[in-house]
Amino acid sequence: MADELEPLGRSSEMKANNHVVIIGGGPGGLAAAKTLARKGVSVTIIDENPDLGGQYYRRRTKGTTELVGDYRVDGTHLISSVKKLGCTILTDSYVWGISNDKRSLLVENSLLGKSTRVNFDFLIVASGGHEIQYPFTNWQSTKVMTPGMLSRLVTVDAIEPNGRRAILVGSGPFLLAVTSHLIDSGVVVDGVFELTRPYRLTVFSMLAVFFPAKCAQFLHYRFKLFSNGVKLTQGSRLRSVQDSYDGITATFDKRSGGEQVVVESQLLGVGYGFKPNSEVLEILNVERGESTSFGHFYPRVDRYGRTSQQNVFAIGEVSGIEGFKSAMVGGVLSGQRILRDIKGVKGFASMYVTLVHYLRSIYEELFAKFLKKLYRIDLEDFPLLDPEVLLCRCEGVYASELDGVLSQCESDMAYVKAETRIGMGLCQGRMCGTALGIIVKKKYPKSISPGFSIRIPFRPVAIGSIIALESEENRDYIDG
Amino acid sequence: MVNSDVIIIGGGILGAALAFELTKESIGVQLIERSSISREGSGATAGNLHIQAVHTRRPGQVIALDNVRLLPLQIAASRLWDVVEEELPEDIELRRTGGLTVAESEPQGEEILLKRRHEIEAGIPGEILASDEARRLLPELGDSVQLAEFCPLDGYVNPLKVTPAWMRAAIRQGLTLRTHEEVLNISKVGSSWIVGTSNGQYACSTLVIVGGPWMDRILSMVRVSIRMNPVAIQMHVTERMAPRLPFLVQHIAEGMSIKQVTAGQIMIGGGWPAQNLALGKTSDVSVESVIGNLSQAVRILPFLRNVRLLRSWSGALGATADEMPIIGEVPGLEGLFVAGGTYAFTFAPLWAKTLLALILRRTPEVDVSDLGVGRLMNIYKSKTSGG
């Protein structure tokens, strides 16, 4: 680890070389790194996980690989080619803030318990997103997790989940992909419950005409569900989960009818799509793009992922486009754009690569927009919380405590926070922030995108780690 | 138009405390607040009750405050806080933990000894502790501490609780609270003040401006300009932990205050500056101030090194040009009062009582004649001069 950190000391040298820092070592970040590093640009990749790969190309541990083989081999190739190109790789490293001059990232290495400044001339934010939760009665049960976690358990970790049955709840195409993974691993899926109503015949026809390849993939998932007897229910709202001796009982409200559906299973995966990990972009004050019903922060970007700040790019999930393929397309495009900025690289091959990816990115964006419309969640889709629902898990705040506060807050979430302590705990509103935003917006439909403001550190950091920056800063001043 | 005896502009701690005192006397009060109550400095503050003499400069503060002048006010405020706790039905988490002020060098030690002499004159209890005595009291103290003073009256109040509690009590006594209404203009018709807001017009015979850093902006509506020096300062809070720090710990020469609050979190402040002052928005927290404030905190209390920082935030401080409090009637404008300036949180119950006395033309319990508005007025523009 120490060896990998060492190049940071050469910060001034990097500056002269137009140093590119990439946050996130997933498919997008890797594609960008490869594009840049093969042309000799100095690249640093920062990733909070022990190895590169992100969510999609997450690496198996050595032991698991020996036992069951490699996982997603194309990811293994991509990662090793990036490593061979000599990129500086900071794994187990988390960006928790940005310097006052907005030219360096404050990065903690969680193994060393020490923070360091990473200077950048160009920044590519490929930090992905995290799954959105909406509370329900007893959502704190240990048998409730996110679809991503369920999927990871059975694929990357090759673990047989505790119990061999599961229900999937939420919204988005990701639910179908996870269901498919679970079925492949021998898990019996007791039902898939989609909040919206996307699966209609007209949709299929449009998909078949405009996105035939994507349609084939979808039909593949649908067929797998069908042939394994997995029932797909649309328009149902999860109301509560009860723990039983060896499993759970989930209760759903039917939106139209009103009769309740009760399903028994052993595990429940629930997630309503992804919230972008946009802290860095927000604190850099890049301009906001289109607003969404959830009030997520998506930056305004051009085709290359360039934000309103010339040297800051955003690609993949954090720019609002789902899927590893489009993230990789975005990675190549942002890389090409930066190459043109710093080296003026033209050349036929480079232009060809740019053109191909440019067209591909138009296609991916069209599809992403199609999906967004298809799975569009209206805030009315979410039920009002029962009073006994635990809303903020860190500080132990129940939905009943919102009574009175909500009617006085005038959509000011900071006021709700101050009155109730919602979002003041360890996760800093990461879990409950989106849910509270939904609740507030249901109450004040005209309000603009409520959300907690971004504070440093983005995640808790030991004070000793932070003050390690003091001496380093002095050194920088002396050098500079 | 809605009439009342008094209109208060500003829904922070001073507005809430004053509304409570006035309504207790059955005086009709309307309080107008631009956003929600307690959303600016009153909600962002550390909530310390500073009874022993304070250090005289925040980091970056140019003009030192006169800490000896504040002593009689601090002891008076201290007595009133005990009454506040009894009067309010809600728990405001007032804790008289006692406070330590530490010195790390000989000149700093001299400063503590000097301020102790002034405190004795003012009747403030306290005790000088040599380094070994200080460490016996608080074994967590770092090696650099050479001398300390302990004052049993120092403590804190939960700022998120006290202003809403005062406000709710005032509402029960008849206060009309108008939040999310911005004051747009103020005029005087005969002996009445007319306040125009985004929602309507209200009249009163007495107008009180307790708008913190917005004070000069509101005063400019009556063509008064005062010399203010508002700044945004920042606070830091850690994760929760088991009780480890029983006292408020401060530094004699540097801006620093550290305490463990009832929730178990440790609050670290001291008036370190944020990157900018963005009134009405969120001022950006300065990373350099985070590092500076936390470094000194670890020097004085080394165990903090292993505690995780959870959050940092900024808040606006309505400091005056001479860094001293401001309280009184605006010269030449009968029935217009202001209050604010430094240490307004500690002084809140005292300023409420003092304003009540001034409004009712009684003699206040503490002399504040030298803290009036006149000393800070730039230009007094008469209505006829037009600008």
Side-chain angles (χ1 to χ4, degrees), chain A residues 395-452:
Chain A
E395 291 287 313
V397 185
Y398 288 86
S400 57
E401 291 171 64
L402 282 178
D403 292 351
V405 179
L406 209 51
S407 56
Q408 279 172 26
C409 78
E410 295 291 329
S411 83
D412 180 0
M413 272 180 56
Y415 177 76
V416 181
K417 183 178 180 176
E419 285 282 303
T420 62
R421 297 190 69 86
I422 290 174
M424 282 195 184
L426 261 190
C427 89
Q428 288 293 287
R430 205 173 161 92
M431 294 275 270
C432 60
T434 308
L436 183 62
I438 292 169
I439 294 164
V440 167
K441 192 136 184 186
K442 276 167 91 91
K443 176 90 184 170
Y444 301 92
K446 282 180 198 157
S447 66
I448 28 163
S449 310
F452 290 130

Side-chain angles (χ1 to χ4, degrees), chain A residues 195-207:
Chain A
L195 180 69
T196 63
R197 295 177 178 276
Y199 307 119
R200 301 180 297 262
L201 199 59
T202 46
V203 172
F204 280 115
S205 349
M206 271 182 71
L207 202 59

Side-chain angles (χ1 to χ4, degrees), chain B residues 241-293:
Chain B
M241 57 189 299
R244 184 138 188 206
L245 183 62
F247 315 114
L248 171 66
V249 180
Q250 304 154 89
H251 201 289
I252 183 64
E254 298 175 16
M256 186 195 87
S257 78
I258 311 171
K259 64 176 178 287
Q260 187 165 19
V261 295
T262 45
Q265 297 164 312
I266 294 180
M267 302 255 262
I268 303 169
W272 286 67
Q275 283 190 54
N276 49 14
L277 171 68
L279 280 183
K281 293 188 200 133
T282 313
S283 306
D284 299 319
V285 164
S286 160
V287 173
E288 307 314 327
S289 287
V290 172
I291 297 167
N293 202 173

Side-chain angles (χ1 to χ4, degrees), chain B residues 3-308:
Chain B
N3 295 297
S4 58
D5 302 321
V6 179
I7 290 177
I8 300 171
I9 301 175
I13 190 168
L14 290 183
L18 177 61
F20 177 76
E21 291 301 332
L22 288 166
T23 50
K24 204 162 68 184
E25 303 285 324
S26 304
I27 297 168
V29 185
Q30 301 179 79
L31 189 148
I32 303 168
E33 163 57 43
R34 189 181 57 90
S35 68
S36 311
I37 62 163
S38 193
R39 274 287 286 115
E40 300 292 340
S42 302
T45 177
N48 296 333
L49 297 185
H50 291 289
I51 311 304
Q52 66 173 299
V54 291
H55 72 100
T56 58
R57 283 178 213 258
R58 297 180 305 275
Q61 179 178 329
V62 181
I63 297 167
L65 61 78
D66 179 0
N67 63 351
V68 177
R69 167 66 186 95
L70 297 182
L71 287 173
L73 305 172
Q74 282 165 291
I75 188 69
S78 175
R79 289 189 196 109
L80 287 173
W81 273 109
D82 289 333
V83 183
V84 173
E85 199 184 18
E86 283 161 27
E87 274 185 333
L88 292 177
E90 299 171 45
D91 181 11
I92 55 171
E93 293 176 13
L94 186 147
R95 301 286 183 273
R96 297 293 186 134
T97 58
L100 270 178
T101 299
V102 301
E104 291 182 287
S105 67
E106 214 162 297
Q108 290 176 2
E110 292 294 325
E111 209 176 322
I112 286 193
L113 295 174
L114 177 66
K115 97 179 173 85
R116 183 68 209 123
R117 283 200 288 278
H118 290 300
E119 286 165 6
I120 291 168
E121 279 167 36
I124 293 174
E127 196 185 337
I128 298 290
L129 304 168
S131 63
D132 55 330
E133 292 171 318
R135 253 177 285 279
R136 217 171 297 140
L137 186 66
L138 184 60
E140 308 286 5
L141 281 179
D143 296 338
S144 60
V145 174
Q146 294 186 2
L147 189 85
E149 178 189 344
F150 181 78
C151 169
L153 293 181
D154 283 350
Y156 62 89
V157 178
N158 186 339
L160 300 178
K161 300 223 161 173
V162 64
T163 301
W166 247 326
M167 204 69 90
R168 279 189 279 266
I171 289 170
R172 280 192 295 273
Q173 291 170 171
L175 166 72
T176 305
L177 174 64
R178 304 181 187 281
T179 59
H180 303 280
E181 268 194 62
E182 191 167 358
V183 173
L184 302 175
N185 51 66
I186 300 169
S187 54
K188 191 158 195 190
V189 178
S191 62
S192 289
W193 290 100
I194 315 287
V195 179
T197 74
S198 46
N199 200 39
Q201 273 202 334
Y202 312 103
C204 61
S205 50
T206 302
L207 179 62
V208 185
I209 299 172
V210 278
W214 279 269
M215 199 193 300
D216 54 344
R217 199 178 289 184
I218 302 168
L219 276 174
S220 71
M221 295 175 192
V222 289
R223 295 159 194 248
V224 169
S225 162
I226 55 169
R227 293 192 303 279
M228 297 281 291
N229 182 27
V231 285
I233 58 174
Q234 61 189 57
M235 283 293 309
H236 312 91
V237 69
T238 71
E239 60 191 326
R240 290 171 187 248
M241 57 189 299
R244 184 138 188 206
L245 183 62
F247 315 114
L248 171 66
V249 180
Q250 304 154 89
H251 201 289
I252 183 64
E254 298 175 16
M256 186 195 87
S257 78
I258 311 171
K259 64 176 178 287
Q260 187 165 19
V261 295
T262 45
Q265 297 164 312
I266 294 180
M267 302 255 262
I268 303 169
W272 286 67
Q275 283 190 54
N276 49 14
L277 171 68
L279 280 183
K281 293 188 200 133
T282 313
S283 306
D284 299 319
V285 164
S286 160
V287 173
E288 307 314 327
S289 287
V290 172
I291 297 167
N293 202 173
L294 297 184
S295 296
Q296 65 173 185
V298 168
R299 217 172 61 226
I300 304 302
L301 296 167
F303 78 94
L304 288 173
R305 183 179 285 279
N306 299 318
V307 182
R308 284 185 294 175

Side-chain angles (χ1 to χ4, degrees), chain B residues 69 72-73 327 351 354 363-371:
Chain B
R69 167 66 186 95
L73 305 172
I327 182 164
W351 289 166
T354 306
T363 309
E365 280 174 42
V366 290
D367 178 21
V368 291
S369 50
D370 58 329
L371 300 174

Side-chain angles (χ1 to χ4, degrees), chain A residues 42-55:
Chain A
S42 134
V43 174
T44 296
I45 310 176
I46 303 169
D47 197 289
E48 60 183 308
N49 289 300
D51 203 348
L52 297 177
Q55 303 303 321

Side-chain angles (χ1 to χ4, degrees), chain A residues 102-122:
Chain A
K102 297 191 173 16
R103 301 302 286 180
S104 48
L105 305 172
L106 312 176
V107 184
E108 168 167 82
N109 180 298
S110 55
L111 297 181
L112 302 177
K114 204 180 151 202
S115 291
T116 177
R117 288 173 203 248
V118 178
N119 299 330
F120 63 87
D121 299 303
F122 289 91

